[in-house]
Amino acid sequence: MILGFVEWEAGEPLETSLQMLTLARDVADQTGTSLAAVAFGEEGAAVADHLGEYGVERVHHVADDRLTPYAPAAWGQALADLLEDHRPEAVLAPGTDRCQEVLAHVGATCDLPMAADCTAVEAGDAYEVTRHRWGGSLVEHARLEASTKLLSTAVHEVPIEPADVPTDPTVHTVEPTVDAEDLRVQVDRREESDVEGVPLGEARVVVGGGRGVGGPEDFDQLEELADLLDGALGSSRAAVNEGWRPHDDQIGLTGTKITPDIYIACGISGAVQHWVGCKGADTVLAINTDPEAAIMQKGEYAVVGDLHEIVPELNEALREREG
Amino acid sequence: MDVLTCIKRVPDTGSKIVLTEDRQSIDASNLGFTMSPHEECAIEAAVQLVEAHGGTARVLTLGPPAADEQLRTGLAMTADEATLLETDGAEWGPRATANAIADAVRAAEEEFDLLLFGNESADAANYQVGIRVAERLGLPVVAGIKSLEVEDGTAIAGREVSGGEEIYEVDLPAVVTVKEGINEPRYASMRAKMSARRQEVDRREPDAESGPGTFEKLRLEAPSDEDSAAEVLGEGPEAVPRIIEVLEEEVEVV
Ligand SMILES: Cc1cc2nc3c(=O)[nH]c(=O)nc-3n(C[C@H](O)[C@H](O)[C@H](O)COP(=O)(O)OP(=O)(O)OC[C@H]3O[C@@H](n4cnc5c(N)ncnc54)[C@H](O)[C@@H]3O)c2cc1C
C-alpha cells in the first residue's frame, strides 16, 4: 500500500494534496499496489467522498479530539501507528509547512530516511527520486531505500490528474496511541493579521521592486501600478535588506512564492533565489536598465530602460484608460 | 539562558548555478560562501534572547574546516562561543547531520535552554534536521517560526498561516526552527568582526551514524533555462503602449 497524507479545508482536499495523490497513484501503479489516504480531524471522513476520483481505495480517518487543534508530534505519532499496523511501502505528503513537519517527525520516531520536495519517482526495490534543491533552481536525483519510504512532493509541480478508474473508498477510523509528551506542542491560539489588500501569494498581478528602485519613496510608483492593476506589491531581498520594504513583501526562496497571471519585475536582477519565488507566474515582464540581467532572459517580456521613467508613464496611461 | 544556534555553510549562488564536472556539487570556485537567511535570523534571535535574559549564545555548524568563516559571522553578530563539527567536506545527509548535532548537544558542558535552527537549509532543503535533533534529545520542537518570545521558561512562538498566525506555547528546554522575517539580523561592526577573528573555535570530530535505510545523492542537474529568450517590448517609455497591449490582450488584467 502507498499512503498519502491529505490535508483539507471545509471538507475538501487541498490542491497540494491532490498533486501529491497524483504522484502517489503513479507510485502505486508502478509497484502494483493499492493507494490509501490518511486525513485528520472532524471532516476527515467527508474528504473521502472526494478521493475516489483520484483512485484512493481506503481512507484512514484519525478522529481523536486530542489531536485538534494541530499538534505536529502527535500527528506524526498517529502516522507512525499506521506504519506499524499496515507497513506501507511509501508515505507521501504534500510539501506544505505542516506535512513537511509531520513527515519529519515520522522519520525521526521510526528512524527512517525522508526525501523532501520530490517531483518524480522511479519505483523499484529502491526508489530513484527527483527532488528540488535551492527551491527548485537545482534538481537532485537521489536513491531512497527503506522499509517504508517517506517522501514529500514539491508544491505546484505535479499537475493534478484524476484516476482512469475511479474508486469508492472505504473509511477506517484510527485511534492513535498519543501520550502527553506528543502533545507538548499544539496550536494554542490563532491571531488574525491586520494586513489589508490582496495577499502576495494569492494575487493575480504582482509588481515587484528591487535594488534598482533606489529608495523607499520610489516604491510609491510601483505601489500605484499595483493598485491600478488590482495587484499586490512585492520586492527582492535586496530591497528588504536596504530597509525599503518589510520582509512580508519578499519574493523568493526565503520569502513568498507567487503564482500570479503576470509578475512585473522592476529593477530586479533575477538571482536564482529570487527566480524560484516568481517562476510560478504565468508571465514575467521585466523592466531593467541592463538588457543582460538574468531576469531579462528568463522571463517572457523585457523592457530595457529606467523604471523611474517607464513606470510613471505606464501609470499615467493606465489612469487615462480608466478615465 | 543558554542558546545554541545551528547553521550551515552554503555557496552564495548568483544568477546561474554551474555544476562540477562529476555533477555532485555546485562549482563554487568563483563563488563566495554564506549561510541561509533563516539561520542568520536564528542567530539574531539567539543574541537578542541572551541580551534580554542573560546567559550565552553558542553557534554550531557541521561542515568543512572553511565553515569556520560562517561561525565567525555568528561571533561577529555577538554570539559568545562557536563549535565546529569538522568534516572532510563530503556532504552529510540530514539524518547523520542531526544525529551528530544531537550527540554534540549531549556531550556539551552547557545545558541549553533553547536550540535554534533554520527551517530548512538553503541548498539541500531537507526540512528535517531540527526536528530529528529534537526527537533524539526528547525535546519538544516547533518548526517554521516567525515570531518568538521567552517568558518565565516558556517559549511563545508564532507560525505564519494564511490570514494570520498560529501561536504555540512550549516549556523550555525546546527546539525552534525559524524563518527569515522573524527579525532583522544586525550588521556586524568592524570591531566585532575583528574580535570575532581572534576568538577560539571549539573543534570536534563528529561520528557519522545514520541508521537503517539510505537516502543518497546520485547526481545533480541544473534545469536549463526554459527557452531563455524574452521578447523585448522596447526601450524606455516608448514601450508603454506595448506593455499595455500585453496586459490587455495576453494577460487580460486590464
Ligand atoms: C540563501 C539565500 C537566500 C536568498 N533568498 C532570497 C529571496 O528569498 N528573495 C530574493 O529576492 N533574494 C534572495 N537572496 C538574494 C539574491 O541572491 C540577490 O542578492 C537578490 O535577489 C538581489 O536583489 P535585486 O535583484 O533587487 O538586486 P541586484 O541584484 O542588485 O539587482 C538590481 C537590478 O536593478 C537594475 N537597475 C538598477 N537601476 C535601475 C533603474 N533605474 N531602472 C531599472 N533597473 C535598474 C540593475 O540593472 C540590476 O539588474 C538570497 C540569497 C541567498 C544566498
Side-chain angles (χ1 to χ4, degrees):
Chain A
M1 154 179 126
I2 305 293
L3 183 65
F5 175 1
V6 172
E7 287 183 294
W8 51 265
E9 209 176 283
E12 299 208 19
L14 299 186
E15 219 174 279
T16 44
S17 290
L18 297 180
Q19 296 161 3
M20 175 279 295
L21 281 180
T22 303
L23 185 61
R25 202 180 62 243
D26 175 34
V27 176
D29 289 347
Q30 287 184 52
T31 51
T33 179
S34 66
L35 178 61
V38 54
F40 288 77
E42 220 178 314
E43 290 169 77
V47 177
D49 296 342
H50 300 278
L51 299 182
E53 204 184 328
Y54 300 93
V56 171
E57 288 171 45
R58 285 171 78 95
V59 175
H60 299 276
H61 178 212
V62 186
D64 188 323
D65 285 345
R66 293 173 300 170
L67 270 56
T68 309
Y70 176 60
W75 287 33
Q77 184 54 49
L79 278 182
D81 290 342
L82 282 173
L83 252 67
E84 173 135 359
D85 293 346
H86 300 277
R87 311 217 163 260
E89 260 222 33
V91 179
L92 278 80
T96 57
D97 280 351
R98 279 191 176 184
C99 290
Q100 210 87 276
E101 177 180 35
V102 171
L103 206 61
H105 274 285
V106 179
T109 43
C110 303
D111 202 7
L112 291 169
M114 156 185 165
D117 282 350
C118 299
T119 55
V121 177
E122 253 179 68
D125 273 346
Y127 288 5
E128 190 180 321
V129 301
T130 307
R131 64 175 297 267
H132 279 179
R133 286 189 173 215
W134 287 101
S137 37
L138 199 57
V139 168
E140 172 182 6
H141 298 275
R143 191 163 153 274
L144 179 64
E145 189 174 18
S147 50
T148 293
K149 286 104 180 153
L150 306 179
L151 314 88
S152 68
T153 52
V155 301
H156 304 314
E157 285 292 329
V158 182
I160 299 169
E161 275 172 39
D164 293 336
V165 189
T167 45
D168 187 12
T170 51
V171 178
H172 307 259
T173 305
V174 179
E175 278 158 26
T177 61
V178 299
D179 59 25
E181 195 163 292
D182 299 320
L183 291 164
R184 288 178 298 182
V185 176
Q186 183 154 34
V187 172
D188 182 72
R189 57 189 181 275
R190 206 188 130 98
E191 287 173 6
E192 304 306 317
S193 97
D194 45 16
V195 181
E196 287 171 22
V198 204
L200 195 51
E202 293 160 29
R204 279 190 63 208
V205 177
V206 175
V207 178
R211 203 193 310 274
V213 177
E217 310 80 31
D218 292 317
F219 267 90
D220 292 351
Q221 306 162 6
L222 302 193
E223 191 152 23
E224 191 185 355
L225 176 56
D227 283 345
L228 285 163
L229 297 171
D230 287 327
L233 183 62
S235 79
S236 72
R237 181 160 185 258
V240 174
N241 279 353
E242 294 286 352
W244 301 342
R245 300 302 307 166
H247 180 269
D248 284 349
D249 281 6
Q250 185 174 313
I251 294 165
L253 184 63
T254 51
T256 302
K257 305 204 169 48
I258 59 169
T259 52
D261 295 344
I262 186 165
Y263 175 47
I264 306 177
C266 309
I268 292 178
S269 62
V272 291
Q273 301 90 354
H274 186 80
W275 183 251
V276 297
C278 69
K279 69 176 178 162
D282 286 343
T283 301
V284 174
L285 188 160
I287 302 178
N288 200 304
T289 42
D290 177 8
E292 302 297 320
I295 200 145
M296 301 283 272
Q297 324 291 322
K298 290 177 181 172
E300 277 69 32
Y301 297 107
V303 176
V304 184
D306 186 344
L307 69 94
H308 301 96
E309 292 169 15
I310 298 165
V311 174
E313 194 102 356
L314 179 57
N315 290 347
E316 183 62 39
L318 287 168
R319 265 195 311 267
E320 262 170 33
R321 283 175 47 96
E322 281 192 357
Chain B
M1 64 187 291
D2 291 335
V3 185
L4 178 74
T5 308
C6 299
I7 64 176
K8 183 177 186 184
R9 173 180 170 88
V10 297
D12 196 350
T13 55
S15 56
K16 196 168 189 313
I17 292 184
V18 180
L19 296 177
T20 53
E21 202 134 297
D22 64 3
R23 300 213 282 159
Q24 289 297 308
S25 52
I26 291 178
D27 180 357
S29 46
N30 295 315
L31 299 177
F33 282 82
T34 183
M35 69 179 96
S36 166
H38 293 331
E39 293 146 30
E40 244 174 83
C41 290
I43 295 178
E44 179 62 35
V47 294
Q48 282 183 14
L49 287 169
V50 167
E51 279 163 8
H53 301 271
T56 61
R58 181 182 285 279
V59 280
L60 176 150
T61 191
L62 180 142
D68 189 81
E69 181 193 351
Q70 280 61 47
L71 290 174
R72 289 188 199 279
T73 304
L75 292 170
M77 289 172 72
T78 76
D80 305 286
E81 322 263 0
T83 301
L84 175 60
L85 302 178
E86 195 172 318
T87 69
D88 62 2
E91 188 170 342
W92 282 41
R95 234 179 349 159
T97 303
N99 289 348
I101 293 174
D103 294 349
V105 169
R106 271 205 204 109
E109 274 163 36
E110 303 110 300
E111 297 248 338
F112 296 106
D113 301 289
L114 186 63
L115 308 183
L116 295 177
F117 290 81
N119 187 58
E120 83 279 358
S121 64
D123 59 343
N126 289 302
Y127 292 87
Q128 54 192 272
V129 170
I131 293 169
R132 286 189 188 270
V133 169
E135 289 272 7
R136 192 165 167 101
L137 295 171
L139 296 175
V141 51
V142 205
I145 287 311
K146 274 211 163 167
S147 69
L148 178 65
E149 275 171 57
V150 171
E151 263 172 43
D152 304 326
T154 302
I156 302 152
R159 173 194 284 185
E160 201 171 64
V161 291
S162 167
E165 222 187 4
E166 287 174 343
I167 313 292
Y168 296 83
E169 294 196 358
V170 190
D171 291 340
L172 300 182
V175 177
V176 173
T177 81
V178 310
K179 285 192 179 179
E180 187 183 25
I182 186 172
N183 53 36
E184 288 173 23
R186 65 196 64 195
Y187 286 106
S189 68
M190 219 36 223
R191 234 181 94 211
K193 281 187 192 156
M194 296 293 284
S195 84
R197 225 178 281 166
R198 288 190 300 271
Q199 247 166 293
E200 200 66 40
V201 168
D202 173 29
R203 288 163 192 271
R204 286 159 197 270
E205 211 173 290
D207 280 330
E209 179 224 318
S210 195
T214 47
F215 169 48
E216 59 180 5
K217 176 177 65 186
L218 298 172
R219 64 187 180 281
L220 301 176
E221 193 185 316
S224 56
D225 284 333
E226 310 102 18
D227 274 327
S228 59
E231 180 185 336
V232 179
L233 295 180
E235 287 193 23
E238 268 121 70
V240 165
R242 287 283 288 126
I243 301 177
I244 304 243
E245 227 174 270
V246 168
L247 293 175
E248 195 174 54
E249 282 159 31
E250 197 147 329
V251 202
E252 297 175 12
V253 291
V254 293

